[in-house]
Amino acid sequence: MRRLLLVLAVIAVGTVGVVTGATAAGRGGVSLPAIVAKAAQVTYTPGANAAAVSPVTPVSVTVSDGTLTQVALTNAAGKAVAGELNAERTAWTSSEPLGYAAQYTWSGTATGADGVPVPLQGGFATVAPSKVVRGVLNIGDGRTVGIAAPIEVQFNGHVDDRAAVERALTVRTSVPVEGAWGWLPDENGGSRVHWRPKEYWPAYTKVSVAAKLYGVDYGGGQYGAADVTSDFEIGRAQVVKADAQSFRMVVERDGQRVADYPASYGLASDPERNTRSGVHVVTEKFTDKRMTSQRYGYDVMEKWAVRMSNNGEFIHANPASAGAQGSSNVTHGCVNLSSENAKAYYDTALYGDPVEVTGTPVPLSARDGDVWDWTVSWSQWQELSAL
């Protein structure tokens, strides 16, 4: 009987409800410890009054021993930042970038297990750049380019932390393509970085470029202005074979010879007039192009001009050299064709087409223009990467 009474007493203790007082009395005068509901504990990331916060690092508020009843993060103008609550309503995380040099304030409530609301409060400030630097991609959405086209990001300021920027750059392709970023000397008032494939692009490759530059610390107090992206396509595989010793210019397309034109190249006896040997890249073309030289005393308008380097080399029509085309080299460095042949080639040329010049004593180099990517070996190109 004594053992039965003890079992009944244990059962009675197990059925006592939650009590929020200091102690509770069980049956038979037994004292029980109180079960106290806890207050909400709120944690902010970044912490209260944080300064120089990155605008692209997600910010959050979390609560333990409770749930978030209402959450708002607003800037000084009262605009709310977009964010998401988790399923348990214990964490809210921002889902959009913040602004530079901005003050943000928390508001709302968290309710603890004790049923008592706790206000969300405090705030933080984002980083204030000394300069915001913009990057621009050279190939726009929807364009079709040649198989030697580099991808270029040109910055309107100098980039100190090139590795940080390079980590923000991605290139995705529809077929596997090995390639790398390389930093070239600053030009046009700012830094520039090119991406080139190890070999020419495979024809008809689809390419997506993303430069997630907003919020990137370039060093020296400079930060990225905005993200830039582009989706484009590589066109047919057109290559110009320009052998100065043959006095011909051959056009190959997708592995087939489609044209063979009589041509005249730069005068070999004058190194300043030599057409440079090496892989040139088509960058632009003009139906009419004014060409001038104080040194050589000419000022002429030429038709069907396709630029292949920034040192003044074009493939263009030149009736004045018609007698030399196919037999001798007399030009000032350009590739001269007849008007008919120049127009036929002009109509097929795309930005990024390679023009492979051979048979001249002076090589193409960095001093000859801004697209000299193919004048260096693959191992040398990889050394231009900051990573």
Side-chain angles (χ1 to χ4, degrees):
M1 178 63 72
R2 183 177 181 83
R3 180 176 297 174
L4 177 60
L5 290 174
L6 179 61
V7 170
L8 290 175
V10 170
I11 294 174
V13 169
T15 61
V16 174
V18 174
V19 180
T20 60
T23 59
R27 297 195 180 205
V30 178
S31 294
L32 302 176
I35 301 175
V36 180
K38 296 182 179 180
Q41 300 295 317
V42 178
T43 303
Y44 303 95
T45 304
N49 301 316
V53 174
S54 168
V56 292
T57 300
V59 299
S60 64
V61 57
T62 60
V63 61
S64 58
D65 300 313
T67 58
L68 293 166
T69 310
Q70 182 182 4
V71 181
L73 178 65
T74 55
N75 63 16
K79 181 181 178 182
V81 175
E84 295 180 353
L85 273 170
N86 64 0
E88 295 80 16
R89 301 186 67 85
T90 57
W92 181 97
T93 305
S94 62
S95 59
E96 66 173 336
L98 306 179
Y100 284 126
Q103 182 72 42
Y104 289 89
T105 303
W106 294 104
S107 63
T109 55
T111 302
D114 61 359
V116 178
V118 174
L120 304 186
Q121 56 193 352
F124 59 89
T126 55
V127 67
S130 62
K131 181 180 179 181
V132 175
V133 176
R134 185 169 299 279
V136 178
L137 281 166
N138 64 326
I139 304 174
D141 280 328
R143 286 189 65 186
T144 299
V145 300
I147 59 173
I151 301 168
E152 177 185 84
V153 184
Q154 175 70 55
F155 299 90
N156 68 341
H158 179 71
V159 173
D160 289 326
D161 193 344
R162 293 179 169 184
V165 170
E166 201 171 320
R167 281 191 288 268
L169 308 176
T170 58
V171 177
R172 293 184 172 85
T173 56
S174 59
V175 295
V177 179
E178 183 179 0
W181 293 99
W183 291 86
L184 279 58
D186 282 15
E187 290 186 359
N188 302 319
S191 296
R192 62 184 176 128
V193 61
H194 284 198
W195 193 97
R196 58 153 273 203
K198 180 179 180 180
E199 308 291 343
Y200 291 154
W201 291 98
Y204 311 111
T205 301
K206 291 180 172 57
V207 184
S208 294
V209 184
K212 299 295 186 180
L213 299 173
Y214 180 74
V216 175
D217 184 351
Y218 292 179
Q222 301 184 119
Y223 284 78
D227 296 343
V228 288
T229 62
S230 181
D231 296 301
F232 61 91
E233 186 173 1
I234 306 301
R236 74 289 176 272
Q238 179 161 298
V239 181
V240 169
K241 304 285 188 176
D243 180 18
Q245 297 299 310
S246 71
F247 314 114
R248 312 289 298 187
M249 191 188 94
V250 174
V251 182
E252 296 179 354
R253 189 176 306 135
D254 293 328
Q256 302 296 316
R257 179 175 293 192
V258 295
D260 185 347
Y261 304 126
S264 182
Y265 296 85
L267 183 68
S269 61
D270 184 349
E272 294 302 315
R273 290 176 61 175
N274 278 187
T275 308
R276 273 40 180 165
S277 284
V279 179
H280 300 61
V281 177
V282 170
T283 54
E284 55 186 343
K285 60 184 186 178
F286 308 85
T287 57
D288 298 273
K289 178 64 176 177
R290 184 184 180 188
M291 300 184 180
T292 64
S293 171
Q294 290 184 339
R295 177 175 181 179
Y296 293 105
Y298 62 80
D299 186 344
V300 294
M301 188 71 73
E302 301 289 13
K303 296 286 292 183
W304 315 120
V306 177
R307 184 189 292 278
M308 62 183 195
S309 78
N310 267 6
N311 69 352
E313 291 176 315
F314 288 81
I315 300 170
H316 67 88
N318 190 354
S321 67
Q325 293 167 20
S327 60
S328 61
N329 294 326
V330 300
T331 80
H332 291 84
C334 292
V335 183
N336 284 184
L337 305 176
S338 70
S339 295
E340 180 182 0
N341 291 339
K343 172 65 164 62
Y345 170 66
Y346 173 96
D347 288 342
T348 70
L350 287 178
Y351 173 86
D353 283 343
V355 178
E356 300 175 353
V357 178
T358 56
T360 74
V362 181
L364 184 72
S365 66
R367 72 183 185 91
D368 291 303
D370 60 347
V371 184
W372 47 269
D373 305 36
W374 299 97
T375 67
V376 298
S377 68
W378 177 240
S379 60
Q380 290 172 314
W381 180 262
Q382 289 177 300
E383 291 176 359
L384 299 176
S385 168
L387 299 177

